[in-house]
């Protein structure tokens, strides 16, 4: 199977009915007179190729990062599949009009060959997580088409920045003799913690999953439980997934460097320690979500559901006093079981405060819909509670002056977006590295409180997951950051402090701006 690349004319696709529009092949365009936060430097003789993994939490930050590089006059190509490209087509079109040398190139997704239903080109669209192995198979089948695509690109690519889960990019980079930089999608706290645990294996010495242990070598005293560690330290029953995780780990070690969506003022000690103990090149260039620097950017950032009118949420928020509304979102790959979500909803109701609750597909959608209908929850909270069933314009909602707290699953993208908005966080980690991120928020930044979740909900084992957090826990945690006392005000002060740091880091002269310059210089040197 070879990619259909045609840079001379638009390309239409036969898409499912929920995507009633066409994908247009983007042309190189530069209009120096139409600028949007563009760097004033002359066009850089470099061409970076970005290859994101097909899941919202991976695609979104890589597209944001690609935009930032293009604004620095680096030629940028984003390689993705037809349905994934639709989601960020509008924001890339806007970048091109501003003068950025950026384009999207399409590679077909082999859903039929891999045994995946048509239209499922992103993890969050899979009808069942049991298809994860099929999905990874489809991703691996894209290697040859991507190689053929890169051969036709002009100018010739001189660097590939790819998600760490696309392991065959190592072979592609070797074939084209260009550096491969991996995008991890988390932070240096997570990278350092994983490195130490792999080396020291102290978690294996505890007698019980719920017993605490200290992670040696981490700046500060960091305590974790084995039950809170990512899947690589708690392998499940899916042997193919376990093997894949090991392959990812091996591939990481061979990369030229790692680009991280974080900023040094947030976790500087962990950045330096990770560089020291591994010898890896690390560039912190975030928060990349701040590439969306006006309301239209935020609204166009990703188009997951065209039926939503983002302006109605803003108008509703305008009707509430400052810091009065709770925003709740447990991520695009929600792993919370319905009984746990029900406790969360009842806790929100018990606060008597206004709220926006984002309920994405995820696990147990039908059961949640049944509860909402039969329990009468929506009717009881009518007027002060909004339920968004699907995608929400999070970067548009969070900075609104009415938002007083963000209840988050601690996915790193969401955590950073909350930090950039200057909002105190209520942490509800579910899976992956999210318990690490909770430590960053609650212990390192002291910018939030935990609802009390204790164990990872592993992929494919949701049915065996107990209810960990009761409605009273939810209500109490929210009140700890939204009340009017001295402690609550300290949370708000720290939230504002880190928000200001984040914005300064990404601006010209800031640490992340400097690190991006260093990366560009590094690749220029390699190319020379």
């Amino acid at each position: 199977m070879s990619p259909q690349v045609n840079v001379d004319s638009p390309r239409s696709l036969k898409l499912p009915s929920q995507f009633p529009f066409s994908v247009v092949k983007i042309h190189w365009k530069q209009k120096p007179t139409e600028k949007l936060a563009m760097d004033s430097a002359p066009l850089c003789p470099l061409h970076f190729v970005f290859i994101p993994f097909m899941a919202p939490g991976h695609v979104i930050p890589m597209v944001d990062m690609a935009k930032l590089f293009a604004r620095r006059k680096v030629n940028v190509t984003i390689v993705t599949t037809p349905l994934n490209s639709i989601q960020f087509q509008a924001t890339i079109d806007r970048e091109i009009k501003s003068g950025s040398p950026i384009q999207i190139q399409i590679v077909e997704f082999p859903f039929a060959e891999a045994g995946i239903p048509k239209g499922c080109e992103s993890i969050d669209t899979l009808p069942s997580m049991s298809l994860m192995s099929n999905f990874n198979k489809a991703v691996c089948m894209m290697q040859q088409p991507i190689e053929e695509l890169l051969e036709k690109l002009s100018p010739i690519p001189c660097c590939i920045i790819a998600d760490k889960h696309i392991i065959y990019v190592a072979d592609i980079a070797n074939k084209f003799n260009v550096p491969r930089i991996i995008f991890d999608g988390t932070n240096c706290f997570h990278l350092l913690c994983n490195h130490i645990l792999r080396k020291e294996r102290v978690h294996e010495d505890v007698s019980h999953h719920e017993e605490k242990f200290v992670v040696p070598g981490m700046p500060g005293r960091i305590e974790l439980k084995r039950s809170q560690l990512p899947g690589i330290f708690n392998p499940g029953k899916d042997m193919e997934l376990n093997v894949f995780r090991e392959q990812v780990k091996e591939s990481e070690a061979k990369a030229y460097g790692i680009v991280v969506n974080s900023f040094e003022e947030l976790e500087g000690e962990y950045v330096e320690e990770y560089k020291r103990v591994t010898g890896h090149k690390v560039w912190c260039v975030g928060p990349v979500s701040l590439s969306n620097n006006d309301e239209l950017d935020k609204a166009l950032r990703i188009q997951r559901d065209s039926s939503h009118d983002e302006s109605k949420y803003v108008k509703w928020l305008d009707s509430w006093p400052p810091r009065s509304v709770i925003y709740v979102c447990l991520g695009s790959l929600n792993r919370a079981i319905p009984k746990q979500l029900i406790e969360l909803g009842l806790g929100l109701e018990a606060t008597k405060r206004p709220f926006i609750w984002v309920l994405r597909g995820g696990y147990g959608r039908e059961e949640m819909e049944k509860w909402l209908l039969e329990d009468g929850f929506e009717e009881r909270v009518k007027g002060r509670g909004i339920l968004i069933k699907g995608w929400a314009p999070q970067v548009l909602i969070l900075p609104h002056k009415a938002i007083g707290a963000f209840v988050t699953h601690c996915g790193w993208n969401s955590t950073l977006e909350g930090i950039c908005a200057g909002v105190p966080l209520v942490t509800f980690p579910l899976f992956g590295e999210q318990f690490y991120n909770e430590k960053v928020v609650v212990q390192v930044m002291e910018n939030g409180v935990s609802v009390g979740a204790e164990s990872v909900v592993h992929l494919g084992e949701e049915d065996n997951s107990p209810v960990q957090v009761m409605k009273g826990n939810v209500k109490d945690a929210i009140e700890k950051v939204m009340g009017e006392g001295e402690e609550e005000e300290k949370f708000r002060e720290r939230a504002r402090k880190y928000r200001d740091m984040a914005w300064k880091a990404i601006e010209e002269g800031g640490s992340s701006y400097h690190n991006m310059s260093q990366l560009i210089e590094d690749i220029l040197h390699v190319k020379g």
Side-chain angles (χ1 to χ4, degrees):
M1 185 179 69
S2 61
Q4 300 177 18
V5 181
N6 180 356
V7 296
D8 297 320
S9 62
R11 176 166 170 261
S12 298
L13 298 167
K14 293 183 179 179
L15 301 172
S17 58
Q18 64 265 39
F19 296 101
F21 26 77
S22 62
V23 175
V24 178
K25 187 64 65 176
I26 296 179
H27 303 264
W28 290 109
K29 294 181 181 178
Q30 284 185 273
K31 298 181 180 179
T33 58
E34 297 178 39
K35 292 187 178 288
L36 178 68
M38 292 290 290
D39 193 276
S40 58
L43 187 64
C44 179
L46 294 177
H47 184 184
F48 286 13
V49 173
F50 284 75
I51 308 177
F53 188 72
M54 284 79 80
H58 298 248
V59 170
I60 296 172
M62 284 201 73
V63 170
D64 284 341
M65 189 186 304
K67 287 158 55 177
L68 286 171
F69 273 100
R71 290 175 190 177
R72 302 291 292 274
K73 303 300 181 66
V74 174
N75 295 301
V76 169
T77 295
I78 303 170
V79 178
T80 191
T81 66
L83 297 186
N84 280 287
S85 72
I86 290 171
Q87 299 165 27
F88 55 89
Q89 182 85 50
T91 189
I92 297 301
D93 284 344
R94 193 169 190 233
E95 290 296 309
I96 292 169
K97 289 179 180 177
S98 75
S100 286
I102 190 169
Q103 65 172 344
I104 301 172
Q105 291 287 353
I106 303 297
V107 172
E108 298 293 344
F109 188 73
F111 59 89
E113 297 92 323
I116 296 174
K118 187 177 182 179
C120 298
E121 296 184 8
S122 179
I123 288 179
D124 64 317
T125 63
L126 293 175
S128 169
M129 287 295 106
S130 64
L131 291 171
M132 268 300 301
S133 294
N134 300 67
F135 191 86
N136 285 330
K137 178 182 177 182
V139 173
C140 289
M141 293 171 68
M142 293 169 62
Q143 177 175 352
Q144 183 180 345
I146 290 177
E147 287 182 4
E148 294 174 2
L149 169 64
L150 298 191
E151 287 176 347
K152 299 176 183 178
L153 289 180
S154 179
I156 297 169
C158 58
C159 177
I160 301 175
I161 299 180
D163 191 285
K164 70 174 185 178
H165 294 96
I166 310 178
I167 55 179
Y168 59 75
V169 173
D171 295 331
I172 296 176
N174 287 336
K175 178 178 178 180
F176 287 92
N177 194 28
V178 296
R180 173 182 63 112
I181 296 174
I182 61 171
F183 172 67
D184 182 83
T186 59
N187 50 58
C188 288
F189 181 102
H190 160 253
L191 292 170
L192 177 61
C193 199
N194 272 4
H195 174 80
I196 291 171
L197 292 180
R198 284 167 176 160
K199 183 180 179 182
E200 303 294 338
R201 313 191 78 83
V202 292
H203 58 289
E204 296 178 357
D205 296 333
V206 298
S207 58
H208 193 272
H209 277 312
E210 298 303 317
E211 182 182 342
K212 289 184 178 181
F213 63 89
V214 176
V215 183
M218 292 287 285
R221 182 180 174 87
I222 303 300
E223 291 185 337
L224 287 166
K225 297 179 181 180
R226 190 166 182 172
S227 62
Q228 297 173 332
L229 300 180
I232 193 167
F233 299 113
N234 286 310
K237 299 176 183 178
D238 189 334
M239 296 308 297
E240 287 189 33
L241 181 59
N242 295 334
V243 170
F244 177 71
R245 285 169 171 158
E246 288 300 318
Q247 291 173 334
V248 170
K249 182 181 75 172
E250 292 172 8
S251 176
E252 285 180 276
K254 300 174 184 177
Y256 180 75
I258 304 172
V259 65
V260 181
N261 183 20
S262 185
F263 58 105
E264 292 177 356
E265 291 80 358
L266 173 61
E267 52 165 353
E269 288 183 292
Y270 302 97
V271 176
E272 292 307 312
E273 184 64 10
Y274 181 70
K275 289 180 180 178
R276 187 187 72 81
V277 298
T278 65
H280 291 167
K281 290 177 176 287
V282 179
W283 300 277
C284 291
V285 298
V288 296
S289 63
L290 295 182
S291 63
N292 305 285
N293 48 16
D294 63 26
E295 298 304 299
L296 185 55
D297 271 342
K298 294 172 184 177
L300 293 178
R301 187 186 187 202
I302 191 161
Q303 300 292 295
R304 302 284 297 181
D305 188 346
S306 58
S307 66
H308 284 308
D309 177 10
E310 290 86 356
S311 63
K312 71 179 181 182
Y313 305 128
V314 176
K315 290 178 182 177
W316 184 83
L317 287 168
D318 287 342
S319 68
W320 294 98
R323 304 192 311 273
S324 64
V325 179
I326 309 159
Y327 177 71
V328 186
C329 181
L330 298 188
S332 57
L333 298 177
N334 169 38
R335 295 270 182 82
I337 60 174
K339 289 181 180 178
Q340 181 62 85
L341 291 175
I342 290 169
E343 288 294 325
L344 172 59
L346 294 175
L348 289 172
E349 183 180 6
T351 66
K352 306 296 183 183
R353 295 179 182 274
F355 64 85
I356 294 177
W357 184 11
V358 182
L359 272 171
R360 293 179 182 165
Y363 182 81
R365 178 174 183 172
E366 295 79 9
E367 190 173 337
M368 279 303 296
E369 289 287 353
K370 182 180 179 182
W371 175 75
L372 289 170
L373 181 65
E374 295 180 354
D375 181 74
F377 177 83
E378 286 187 89
E379 186 61 31
R380 292 199 306 274
V381 300
K382 189 176 182 179
R384 73 174 178 92
I386 289 182
L387 271 67
I388 301 177
K389 299 173 184 177
W391 195 261
Q394 189 160 286
V395 294
L396 195 62
I397 292 173
L398 277 174
H400 195 283
K401 64 181 181 181
I403 299 295
F406 177 19
V407 181
T408 173
H409 66 307
C410 294
W412 188 239
N413 292 326
S414 288
T415 300
L416 271 182
E417 288 162 15
I419 292 169
C420 294
V423 180
L425 307 178
V426 176
T427 60
F428 197 152
L430 293 171
F431 67 100
E433 87 294 343
Q434 292 167 8
F435 281 91
Y436 292 176
N437 298 339
E438 180 180 64
K439 291 290 182 184
V440 174
V441 171
V442 176
Q443 187 172 334
V444 178
M445 297 176 59
E446 298 182 297
N447 186 34
V449 297
S450 171
V451 296
E454 295 290 345
S455 302
V456 167
V457 180
H458 290 292
L459 178 66
E461 300 177 15
E462 292 87 353
D463 286 332
N464 300 321
S465 173
V467 174
Q468 300 185 44
V469 180
M470 306 305 291
K471 64 179 181 181
N473 304 122
V474 175
K475 178 179 181 294
D476 291 345
I478 290 171
E479 292 304 322
K480 286 180 182 177
V481 299
M482 289 196 70
E484 297 302 326
E486 185 177 338
E487 286 302 312
E488 292 88 341
E489 184 55 37
K490 286 181 179 179
F491 278 119
R492 289 189 279 270
E493 287 177 4
R494 285 190 287 268
R496 290 191 291 267
K497 180 185 76 171
Y498 279 103
R499 174 198 62 195
D500 294 344
M501 286 181 182
W503 280 93
K504 288 179 181 178
I506 208 76
E507 292 172 354
E508 187 168 357
S511 61
S512 293
Y513 186 97
H514 171 75
N515 289 336
M516 187 169 283
S517 298
Q518 289 295 107
L519 193 159
I520 293 170
E521 289 293 329
D522 200 321
I523 301 302
L524 274 170
H525 177 75
V526 172
K527 181 173 182 281

